[in-house]
Short mmCIF file of all heavy atoms in Angstrom, two decimals:
data_model
loop_
_atom_site.label_atom_id
_atom_site.label_comp_id
_atom_site.label_asym_id
_atom_site.label_seq_id
_atom_site.Cartn_x
_atom_site.Cartn_y
_atom_site.Cartn_z
N PHE A 513 -44.90 -39.26 7.41
CA PHE A 513 -44.70 -38.06 8.22
C PHE A 513 -43.49 -38.25 9.13
O PHE A 513 -42.60 -37.37 9.22
CB PHE A 513 -45.97 -37.83 9.02
CG PHE A 513 -45.98 -36.57 9.90
CD1 PHE A 513 -46.21 -35.32 9.36
CD2 PHE A 513 -45.80 -36.70 11.23
CE1 PHE A 513 -46.25 -34.20 10.16
CE2 PHE A 513 -45.83 -35.60 12.10
CZ PHE A 513 -46.07 -34.37 11.53
N ASN A 522 -36.43 -32.85 12.05
CA ASN A 522 -37.59 -31.99 12.32
C ASN A 522 -37.60 -30.71 11.49
O ASN A 522 -37.95 -29.66 11.94
CB ASN A 522 -37.70 -31.67 13.76
CG ASN A 522 -39.12 -31.22 14.18
OD1 ASN A 522 -40.07 -31.58 13.53
ND2 ASN A 522 -39.19 -30.44 15.24
N ASP A 539 -46.41 -30.49 5.85
CA ASP A 539 -47.56 -29.65 5.97
C ASP A 539 -48.84 -30.38 5.40
O ASP A 539 -49.95 -30.25 6.03
CB ASP A 539 -47.42 -28.35 5.23
CG ASP A 539 -46.44 -27.39 5.97
OD1 ASP A 539 -46.20 -27.66 7.14
OD2 ASP A 539 -46.00 -26.41 5.34
N ALA A 542 -49.62 -33.51 7.75
CA ALA A 542 -50.01 -33.24 9.18
C ALA A 542 -51.47 -33.49 9.48
O ALA A 542 -51.82 -34.10 10.54
CB ALA A 542 -49.56 -31.85 9.53
N LEU A 554 -50.74 -35.99 18.69
CA LEU A 554 -50.45 -35.33 17.44
C LEU A 554 -51.75 -34.79 16.85
O LEU A 554 -51.86 -34.67 15.65
CB LEU A 554 -49.88 -36.36 16.43
CG LEU A 554 -48.42 -36.75 16.65
CD1 LEU A 554 -48.07 -37.94 15.77
CD2 LEU A 554 -47.47 -35.59 16.39
N VAL A 555 -52.63 -34.35 17.73
CA VAL A 555 -53.92 -33.85 17.29
C VAL A 555 -53.72 -32.62 16.43
O VAL A 555 -54.43 -32.36 15.42
CB VAL A 555 -54.88 -33.50 18.48
CG1 VAL A 555 -56.12 -32.84 18.03
CG2 VAL A 555 -55.21 -34.80 19.27
N ASP A 556 -52.71 -31.80 16.76
CA ASP A 556 -52.41 -30.59 16.01
C ASP A 556 -51.01 -30.68 15.43
O ASP A 556 -50.15 -29.87 15.72
CB ASP A 556 -52.57 -29.34 16.95
CG ASP A 556 -52.50 -28.03 16.14
OD1 ASP A 556 -52.62 -28.09 14.92
OD2 ASP A 556 -52.25 -26.99 16.75
N ALA A 557 -50.82 -31.70 14.59
CA ALA A 557 -49.49 -31.94 14.03
C ALA A 557 -49.04 -30.87 13.06
O ALA A 557 -47.88 -30.80 12.70
CB ALA A 557 -49.46 -33.31 13.31
N SER A 558 -49.98 -30.04 12.63
CA SER A 558 -49.66 -28.95 11.73
C SER A 558 -48.87 -27.84 12.39
O SER A 558 -48.23 -27.00 11.79
CB SER A 558 -50.85 -28.41 11.01
OG SER A 558 -51.79 -27.90 11.95
N ASP A 559 -48.99 -27.85 13.71
CA ASP A 559 -48.26 -26.84 14.55
C ASP A 559 -46.83 -27.34 14.80
O ASP A 559 -46.64 -28.40 15.30
CB ASP A 559 -48.99 -26.62 15.87
CG ASP A 559 -48.29 -25.63 16.76
OD1 ASP A 559 -47.33 -25.00 16.32
OD2 ASP A 559 -48.74 -25.47 17.95
N ALA A 560 -45.83 -26.56 14.43
CA ALA A 560 -44.42 -26.99 14.54
C ALA A 560 -44.06 -27.39 15.91
O ALA A 560 -43.36 -28.38 16.18
CB ALA A 560 -43.50 -25.89 14.02
N SER A 561 -44.58 -26.61 16.89
CA SER A 561 -44.23 -26.95 18.28
C SER A 561 -44.83 -28.27 18.72
O SER A 561 -44.25 -28.99 19.58
CB SER A 561 -44.75 -25.84 19.20
OG SER A 561 -46.12 -25.68 19.13
N ALA A 562 -46.00 -28.66 18.13
CA ALA A 562 -46.62 -29.90 18.49
C ALA A 562 -45.86 -31.13 17.92
O ALA A 562 -46.02 -32.23 18.41
CB ALA A 562 -48.07 -29.91 18.00
N ARG A 563 -45.06 -30.89 16.93
CA ARG A 563 -44.27 -31.97 16.32
C ARG A 563 -43.04 -32.33 17.12
O ARG A 563 -42.45 -33.38 16.93
CB ARG A 563 -43.90 -31.60 14.88
CG ARG A 563 -45.06 -31.48 13.87
CD ARG A 563 -44.56 -31.51 12.48
NE ARG A 563 -43.63 -30.49 12.16
CZ ARG A 563 -43.92 -29.31 11.58
NH1 ARG A 563 -45.17 -29.08 11.24
NH2 ARG A 563 -43.02 -28.44 11.29
N ILE A 564 -42.60 -31.39 17.90
CA ILE A 564 -41.31 -31.60 18.60
C ILE A 564 -41.29 -32.87 19.41
O ILE A 564 -40.36 -33.66 19.44
CB ILE A 564 -40.91 -30.33 19.45
CG1 ILE A 564 -40.68 -29.13 18.56
CG2 ILE A 564 -39.74 -30.62 20.36
CD1 ILE A 564 -40.43 -27.85 19.31
#
Side-chain angles (χ1 to χ4, degrees):
F513 181 81
N522 197 25
D539 286 345
L554 286 169
V555 175
D556 191 14
S558 58
D559 180 6
S561 62
R563 294 196 301 262
I564 293 176

